[in-house]
Amino acid sequence: MDPAEGRRILVAVDEGDESVHALRWCLTNFATRGDGELAPPDTSVLLHVRPTPPTYSVLDASAPLGYLFANEATAAIDGYSRAVADAVVDKAQKLCALHSKENAAVKVKVDVKVAVGDARSVICDMVDKLGDDVLVMGSHDSRWFCRALLGSVSDYCVRNANCPVLIVKSK
């Protein structure tokens, strides 16, 4: 960490309430030290990871219009994914702007990144690539069976991220 630049805090955001809660908690309790004069402002990097677009469709490609329809379906799915990403990022930026407006004494720079791929590996890769000092993420608090079956993004990041990981749980 360069003391002249402040901390870099990567906040993983998605469409869930848990990531909104984690971002609010981070802005209120963690990214509060920079005033821009005595201490350099922290930088909150908002990262949203879109799923990899499908390369094929489950539609029947043997029909004469199957390939055409399959291409349209995958394009529609990718378009929806982009729209969700735009909405998530817009909501997070508005939350940061509102926080800055309410707490004018604390300066927080905001940087936005949208990536495509498996959320677990992309988050850890971005921590390395951007040189972030800490990773903040919400916990969906899935039951043990779902966590064992599907895996948990937060558990993976705790084990594999090359920085401290702060997991914020909702009440």
Side-chain angles (χ1 to χ4, degrees):
M1 178 177 96
D2 183 5
E5 291 188 17
R7 298 178 295 189
R8 291 185 56 83
I9 304 165
L10 188 132
V11 182
V13 293
D14 64 11
E15 58 275 7
D17 292 336
E18 295 84 2
S19 69
V20 171
H21 177 71
L23 177 58
R24 273 197 187 114
W25 187 92
C26 178
L27 292 171
T28 304
N29 299 300
F30 195 63
T32 59
R33 71 177 196 134
D35 61 5
E37 294 175 14
L38 298 176
D42 291 335
T43 301
S44 291
V45 180
L46 307 176
L47 173 65
H48 176 72
V49 182
R50 291 180 34 225
T52 305
T55 55
Y56 62 90
S57 175
V58 294
L59 301 173
D60 183 17
S62 64
L65 296 176
Y67 285 112
L68 177 64
F69 190 65
N71 289 339
E72 289 175 359
T74 56
I77 291 169
D78 188 48
Y80 176 75
S81 175
R82 289 176 190 272
V84 168
D86 291 343
V88 167
V89 167
D90 187 51
K91 183 177 181 179
Q93 285 180 311
K94 285 180 181 176
L95 190 63
C96 291
L98 180 64
H99 181 268
S100 294
K101 191 176 186 180
E102 292 174 351
N103 302 297
V106 177
K107 306 277 190 249
V108 177
K109 292 188 273 183
V110 177
D111 190 13
V112 175
K113 302 285 183 193
V114 177
V116 178
D118 177 44
R120 294 179 277 208
S121 58
V122 169
I123 291 170
C124 292
D125 290 345
M126 288 299 264
V127 165
D128 292 339
K129 179 180 174 184
L130 300 173
D132 294 309
D133 299 307
V134 67
L135 168 61
V136 177
M137 55 194 327
S139 173
H140 290 281
D141 200 25
S142 301
R143 298 293 174 231
W144 69 270
F145 182 74
C146 291
R147 292 172 86 94
L149 188 63
L150 301 174
S152 166
V153 174
S154 58
D155 287 345
Y156 181 88
C157 290
V158 165
R159 289 191 310 273
N160 296 298
N162 291 324
C163 72
V165 178
L166 185 82
I167 299 173
V168 180
K169 289 191 173 193
S170 300
K171 293 180 181 177

